Amino acid sequence: MRSWRIFAVLFKIFLGISASTHWVVTENGRIQSQLDSAFYLRQPFDLISLLEQEKRLERIESLYAEMLKRNAVIESQWTGLESFSVLKDRVLKSDLDCRNIGLRLSEVDLYVNIFDDASEREGINVDELVPKESDVPEETPNSPDCSQFSSLNFSMHMFPHIQVLSQPWNFTKFIDVSVDLNSLISVTGRQLAAGLRQNNTSWFLYNLAALHWQVEGDLQKAVQCAKLAMHYVPVH
Ligand SMILES: *[C@@H]1O[C@H](CO)[C@@H](O)[C@H](O)[C@H]1NC(C)=O
Ligand SMILES: *[C@@H]1O[C@H](CO)[C@@H](O)[C@H](O)[C@H]1NC(C)=O
Ligand SMILES: *[C@@H]1O[C@H](CO)[C@@H](O)[C@H](O)[C@H]1NC(C)=O
Ligand SMILES: *[C@@H]1O[C@H](CO)[C@@H](O)[C@H](O)[C@H]1NC(C)=O
């Protein structure tokens, strides 16, 4: 009984030390576990997988050989390929779209802004919203300072749903707006100022004013106007 227990303890220690299922006899007769082995059994209790292990090893080896073969093919194709810059030049010279643009890829402005003055919207009549240039009162400023027309104070916290607004802003950098924007705005800054004096809840005028300030390069003022436009625009 006692010796059985000792045997069980020894057995347990022995099993606890080595969970290996692959054992080899070394040249000098030592029996030791082979940990990094293709014959390592994940399920040592599974007789079928034990019987199949030789087949699986063959499969692994054939897969490995296949991968080596493919690798060689890819490498030979890679060396046959022209260098990237040569290829790019050729595409730029032969592709119709690239030739029509008439610019090199590095010269194309990929971040061009798309502006819309929204005058096509239903219910917007620019002629009603702003007076004619000749009817603009004498003392009207040349640019619409949006904060003068609406006493609404905006803090970043008013727009919790727009994450970028909650970040600290410092617009000192002039964003180079395209000439298109200037020609898009059909009314002058004076007309906008006069229009906002008449109607200080027009989202359309605030939006135009925001575009106006972007052309002027004053982004801080543009943002003021854009916020008011967002505030007054009807939500459909
Ligand atoms: C809009 O203008 C009217 C009259 O000029 C003024 O009473 C009103 O407070 C202004 N609205 C806002 C939101 O500032
Ligand atoms: C807006 O802010 C100014 C000072 O920043 C303050 O005097 C004025 O009372 C505020 N107006 C409103 C409507 O909160
Ligand atoms: C904005 O940044 C410029 C330089 O980066 C700095 O001179 C100016 O004081 C900053 N303005 C504000 C309001 O933080
Ligand atoms: C102000 O302009 C908006 C359009 O932007 C218009 O819906 C509204 O009726 C105008 N208000 C007045 C008093 O003319």
Side-chain angles (χ1 to χ4, degrees):
M1 185 64 201
R2 198 190 157 91
S3 60
W4 265 111
R5 193 175 291 165
I6 291 172
F7 178 74
V9 168
L10 284 177
F11 192 68
K12 204 173 162 193
I13 290 172
F14 181 68
L15 273 188
I17 292 169
S18 57
S20 177
T21 52
H22 185 192
W23 295 82
V24 290
V25 182
T26 59
E27 272 174 18
N28 49 21
R30 238 178 85 118
I31 298 178
Q32 66 178 39
S33 65
Q34 187 84 357
L35 289 176
D36 181 21
S37 161
F39 293 107
Y40 173 74
L41 287 180
R42 275 167 191 278
Q43 294 167 303
F45 47 82
D46 186 343
L47 175 66
I48 304 299
S49 66
L50 177 71
L51 297 177
E52 297 275 307
Q53 60 180 336
E54 187 113 23
K55 228 185 262 175
R56 281 210 309 277
L57 180 61
E58 277 169 20
R59 195 136 173 266
I60 290 174
E61 278 169 355
S62 82
L63 277 177
Y64 184 66
E66 170 80 1
M67 277 164 63
L68 283 182
K69 223 189 285 172
R70 288 194 195 183
N71 193 30
V73 172
I74 290 173
E75 270 182 2
S76 78
Q77 287 180 344
W78 188 250
T79 39
L81 198 69
E82 298 161 87
S83 77
F84 174 68
S85 57
V86 174
L87 201 65
K88 195 177 87 179
D89 278 350
R90 210 178 66 200
V91 169
L92 289 179
K93 277 193 194 116
S94 57
D95 185 88
L96 197 63
D97 289 332
C98 293
R99 281 173 50 185
N100 282 347
I101 288 181
L103 288 174
R104 300 169 66 86
L105 185 62
S106 54
E107 292 167 34
V108 176
D109 180 7
L110 297 175
Y111 302 99
V112 66
N113 287 311
I114 299 169
F115 294 101
D116 181 4
D117 74 348
S119 57
E120 301 298 317
R121 287 269 189 121
E122 211 175 306
I124 294 297
N125 186 342
V126 184
D127 296 334
E128 268 177 26
L129 286 169
V130 298
K132 283 203 219 72
E133 183 68 55
S134 53
D135 296 342
V136 173
E138 191 75 17
E139 84 292 4
T140 308
N142 283 331
S143 285
D145 187 351
C146 291
S147 59
Q148 282 184 357
F149 302 109
S150 177
S151 57
L152 286 181
N153 282 346
F154 287 105
S155 71
M156 301 299 178
H157 305 294
M158 288 186 70
F159 303 93
H161 54 297
I162 303 177
Q163 272 185 5
V164 69
L165 291 183
S166 61
Q167 288 160 14
W169 289 356
N170 184 354
F171 296 128
T172 48
K173 210 168 156 199
F174 177 68
I175 294 180
D176 191 14
V177 290
S178 59
V179 188
D180 300 346
L181 179 56
N182 208 356
S183 59
L184 176 82
I185 307 176
S186 50
V187 292
T188 63
R190 267 166 60 81
Q191 281 175 292
L192 282 176
L196 280 168
R197 209 172 264 176
Q198 290 167 16
N199 183 344
N200 59 0
T201 60
S202 170
W203 65 270
F204 173 78
L205 289 183
Y206 284 119
N207 185 52
L208 272 190
L211 295 178
H212 170 89
W213 283 115
Q214 287 187 60
V215 174
E216 296 286 308
D218 192 329
L219 296 179
Q220 212 66 258
K221 286 215 161 64
V223 168
Q224 262 173 11
C225 300
K227 283 180 187 169
L228 286 161
M230 270 173 58
H231 178 75
Y232 286 116
V233 72
V235 182
H236 292 299

